[in-house]
Amino acid sequence: MTGAERLRALGLLAPAYLWLTVAVFLPLSAMAFFSFLTDVPFGDREWAFTFDNYAQALTNPTYATLLWKSLKLAFWVTVWCVVLGFPCAYILARMIKGRSREVLFLLVILPFWSNALVRVFSWAIVLRGNGVLDRAVNAVLPWDVKLNLMFSETAMVIGLVHSYLPYVILTTYLSLQAIDDTVIEAARSLGARFPRILWRLILPLAMPGLIAGAVLVFVPVVGSFMEPRLLGGRVGTTYGTLIEDQFVAVFNWPLGAALSFILLAVVLVILAAASPALRKATT
Amino acid sequence: MKTILMTTALVLVAPMALADEIRVLNWQGYGTDLDWAIAAFTEATGHTVVHEYFTSEQEMLTKLRTNPGAYDVVLINSAFTPQAQAEGLIGPIDAAKVPNLADVDPALVANEDLNAGGALHGVPWTWGLTSFAVNTGDFPEAPTSVSVFWDPALKGRVSIRDDALEAVQFAALATGQNINNITDMDAVKAKLTELMSQIATFWSAETDWNQNMAAGQFAVATYWSGSAARSMSEGLPVAFVVPEEGAIGWLDGLSIPASSTKQDAAYAFIDWMIDPDFYVKWEAEGAPATSNTAAAAALPEESFNRKVLGDPATVARVQFMRPVPDDVRESYLALWQELKAAQ
């Protein structure tokens, strides 16, 4: 790059980096700073530097239990998103052409247009005992079924999958659409049947999109607390709830910040551990 | 004879009736700033009333500290009265200057926190409860004990609020302890552990409480007295219960800052505020329970504040919340989180 080009690149990147600095880097640094304090430095509160928050967060078994629970929840939500998202994306990208594809695409993105809380509350109406689902099933089946999915882990997974499924569909759709038709025709001319083509060609070629989608789902679900609380009820306490409590209920921002950074570290470690496999899949 | 008496009374009252402008510090929209009440007070006494508002107890204390002489009447929750008294922000109440105090429930006048420093520092004004309500569909006859929360038949139809302090204090009541001085935390923990498997979900706001009751999801759930009165007036089939084990209470008092220069007008205003005439009108617009037994008795018979809370025997069972130190609050939260994480 010549000097002039570099200058132009810098000029074009500046707004984006300024935005990242102001909206992401500064707040995150402030939280990182808080996580090493004994108390928030607001007003005339006394504070000092300490590692206590991290020690407390790492030694308390309650926090570990909840972290494990959140990771498991995120795992299952991601699995279901991939299992349901891939066929949807495949049909959209490879089997439907023209206007109907646009309409179906719109339907996929539709959940994003409604408020997350509204979505959760509508699920509550559907899932609760004597709710929409319960009545529908009982109207069809001759015997009496008591279907109360509300306030259970199943309800949490259903609600979260519904919220995050579009991410997987969108990213997978993009990589599926990019597959050259001639490659598949070539495979077919060599005698490969559909299952083989799917397994050896389409799935590996769609992998970058699937993985991007899975990461987009996994990371926010690990920290989720609103959907689990409303749909999970008694069992809906997650690691995210813990962080929220520290900020809202007891005004212990330092501990809340420390808990957040531990979560961030755990997620990064998981992604790093998975990265060899991910890299292999994406190349 | 009557005229002479009235004239004498007028002459006696006259020096006090010099028109003053008093400044009241309170939450916005909390009784003292009702237009019709102030207008009537001004007409009766000649004093005018100006309001200033706070949005948190800490802000109220800061305002008292930094503006000596600026306020004549201040609303202080009883949990904060000892702190205000210890800092010398408020002065003792001269009972002789508040005639209506004679009708105020003696149990409330004797409240430990309002009597910080050994003398009454706040006139009991309003109070409310955290207890529980039941679905009348499930309970044609309201229960009298909190033990219904642990009834195996109601598994999955019970709810409490997602709040560590409230949960721990509720369990303290159920185990027969003093909510402000819990000595047997193990019993509290065991009681809450047992309760957890009964619970459907935790409620967090009036709206979701109402929805779950209306849908039949809850049969019994902890609730606030003011919210229960609202839910019942909206036609929800619920009954509010103050069980024999007691309930958690809050109490608001009206105090006079030590630095006030218009004490007589301030006393007149406080007396006006605890007067049955004022309360009955305020109650019709939705007021919390009154401290004044004569005022409660003057309410319509079916009124929530008379029927459920107006009974001195009910007040006697209430344990009023005292200040909770930060470390105690955090230990409660740790216990609560541990219990929730184990689900």
Side-chain angles (χ1 to χ4, degrees):
Chain A
M1 264 200 287
T2 65
E5 273 176 342
R6 199 166 295 165
L7 209 66
R8 198 181 316 142
L10 202 72
L12 288 171
L13 285 174
Y17 276 101
L18 191 73
W19 171 249
L20 281 177
T21 312
V22 172
V24 179
F25 184 70
L26 287 180
L28 216 57
S29 328
M31 278 298 146
F33 173 66
F34 284 167
S35 71
F36 290 104
L37 302 184
T38 48
D39 199 353
V40 274
F42 298 154
D44 47 5
R45 285 162 175 266
E46 301 237 333
W47 55 275
F49 283 102
T50 176
F51 287 100
D52 267 6
N53 299 312
Y54 284 96
Q56 208 181 327
L58 290 171
T59 49
N60 190 328
T62 305
Y63 300 169
T65 318
L66 286 176
L67 182 58
W68 179 236
K69 193 172 159 187
S70 283
L71 289 172
K72 266 196 303 193
L73 177 70
F75 173 78
W76 284 115
V77 170
T78 311
V79 165
W80 279 109
C81 279
V82 167
V83 166
L84 296 172
F86 182 78
C88 282
Y90 182 81
I91 290 167
L92 266 176
R94 319 263 342 151
M95 293 169 86
I96 292 171
K97 302 266 184 282
R99 270 208 88 86
S100 47
R101 179 194 279 181
E102 283 167 32
V103 174
L104 281 172
F105 221 91
L106 205 71
L107 289 176
V108 169
I109 315 175
L110 211 59
F112 277 160
W113 293 356
S114 62
N115 182 288
L117 240 128
V118 174
R119 283 190 304 236
V120 174
F121 275 117
S122 25
W123 274 114
I125 294 169
V126 172
L127 297 175
R128 85 160 44 115
N130 202 18
V132 175
L133 188 66
D134 198 12
R135 284 188 201 179
V137 168
N138 276 310
V140 175
L141 296 177
W143 62 90
D144 194 35
V145 192
K146 264 265 163 268
L147 200 65
N148 189 357
L149 289 176
M150 195 59 188
F151 305 134
S152 66
E153 262 142 41
T154 319
M156 276 152 64
V157 173
I158 291 175
L160 284 165
V161 167
H162 175 240
S163 292
Y164 288 98
L165 189 57
Y167 287 112
V168 177
I169 298 181
L170 290 178
T171 53
T172 314
Y173 171 84
L174 289 178
S175 47
L176 279 171
Q177 216 195 15
I179 298 175
D180 194 342
D181 284 344
T182 53
V183 177
I184 293 171
E185 278 161 22
R188 210 171 278 157
S189 74
L190 291 171
R193 290 183 189 283
F194 179 71
R196 198 181 177 87
I197 293 175
L198 182 70
W199 187 248
R200 297 291 300 273
L201 271 178
I202 296 174
L203 208 56
L205 286 171
M207 207 41 96
L210 266 179
I211 286 169
V215 171
L216 280 178
V217 173
F218 186 83
V219 174
V221 172
V222 171
S224 66
F225 58 90
M226 189 262 287
E227 295 94 340
R229 175 171 40 216
L230 293 175
L231 295 172
R234 173 168 68 88
V235 293
T237 307
T238 62
Y239 196 78
T241 325
L242 207 61
I243 298 174
E244 191 210 3
D245 275 347
Q246 295 302 334
F247 278 94
V248 179
V250 285
F251 205 63
N252 192 347
W253 284 28
L255 183 57
L259 289 167
S260 306
F261 278 99
I262 288 170
L263 180 63
L264 188 65
V266 168
V267 169
L268 287 178
V269 166
I270 291 173
L271 292 183
S275 75
L278 300 188
R279 206 172 304 129
K280 196 168 150 243
T282 48
T283 47
Chain B
M1 184 65 193
K2 205 173 174 190
T3 346
I4 298 170
L5 264 178
M6 290 244 313
T7 332
T8 342
L10 248 160
V11 170
L12 279 172
V13 167
M16 273 165 60
L18 284 174
D20 273 327
E21 182 189 275
I22 56 166
R23 300 182 72 89
V24 177
L25 186 60
N26 190 359
W27 304 92
Q28 188 157 13
Y30 191 25
T32 58
D33 57 353
L34 291 166
D35 285 335
W36 54 264
I38 292 177
F41 175 69
T42 305
E43 201 179 313
T45 62
H47 304 306
T48 50
V49 181
V50 178
H51 271 82
E52 202 164 309
Y53 302 111
F54 57 83
T55 54
S56 73
E57 264 96 6
Q58 292 308 330
E59 186 188 340
M60 176 268 296
L61 290 172
T62 307
K63 283 193 161 165
L64 286 179
R65 282 182 205 121
T66 50
N67 305 316
Y71 308 107
D72 306 294
V73 174
V74 55
L75 174 117
I76 306 182
N77 181 275
S78 66
F80 290 85
T81 310
Q83 192 183 346
Q85 188 274 333
E87 291 184 32
L89 298 173
I90 51 175
I93 296 291
D94 182 353
K97 292 186 176 168
V98 190
N100 280 322
L101 196 60
D103 291 328
V104 173
D105 192 322
L108 297 177
V109 179
N111 180 277
E112 204 176 338
D113 288 322
L114 289 184
N115 286 283
L120 188 66
H121 276 76
V123 174
W125 185 42
T126 48
W127 59 281
L129 291 181
T130 302
S131 187
F132 68 91
V134 294
N135 205 323
T136 47
D138 296 282
F139 289 91
E141 189 103 348
T144 54
S145 163
V146 288
S147 61
V148 286
F149 277 80
W150 285 267
D151 181 352
L154 294 176
K155 191 178 170 75
R157 308 221 24 229
V158 170
S159 181
I160 64 173
R161 193 163 76 94
D162 189 1
D163 180 279
L165 181 65
E166 214 170 280
V168 168
Q169 291 188 333
F170 181 70
L173 279 178
T175 53
Q177 301 193 60
N178 180 343
I179 62 162
N180 296 305
N181 182 20
I182 302 172
T183 47
D184 190 355
M185 272 310 273
D186 291 339
V188 166
K189 189 178 173 182
K191 201 75 181 161
L192 280 177
T193 309
E194 250 179 85
L195 180 62
M196 286 310 242
S197 60
Q198 292 279 103
I199 286 172
T201 185
F202 307 105
W203 64 276
S204 55
E206 218 171 295
T207 44
D208 65 322
W209 193 96
N210 287 345
Q211 276 170 17
N212 278 306
M213 267 296 172
Q217 178 71 58
F218 294 171
V220 51
T222 56
Y223 213 21
W224 301 314
S225 53
S227 306
R230 260 190 297 281
S231 300
M232 284 155 83
S233 70
E234 281 165 19
L236 217 60
V238 293
F240 190 74
V241 181
V242 184
E244 59 205 17
E245 290 89 350
I248 305 161
W250 55 264
L251 175 62
D252 280 342
L254 294 168
S255 300
I256 300 182
S259 54
S260 164
T261 50
K262 297 150 189 165
Q263 304 235 352
D264 286 334
Y267 276 118
F269 187 69
I270 291 177
D271 196 50
W272 190 265
M273 279 292 125
I274 58 171
D275 195 273
D277 282 345
F278 164 74
Y279 181 72
V280 170
K281 275 191 218 142
W282 184 26
E283 210 265 349
E285 297 178 18
T290 177
S291 60
N292 189 329
T293 39
L299 290 175
E301 209 146 298
E302 278 310 295
S303 141
F304 181 83
N305 281 321
R306 175 170 175 186
K307 215 168 78 175
V308 186
L309 304 178
D311 183 4
T314 302
V315 185
R317 288 206 297 274
V318 175
Q319 296 191 31
F320 285 97
M321 261 211 274
R322 307 209 54 203
V324 183
D326 280 348
D327 57 325
V328 174
R329 203 178 277 269
E330 278 186 39
S331 72
Y332 290 174
L333 180 69
L335 170 67
W336 183 233
Q337 283 178 336
E338 186 192 328
L339 289 166
K340 285 202 296 176
Q343 296 307 304

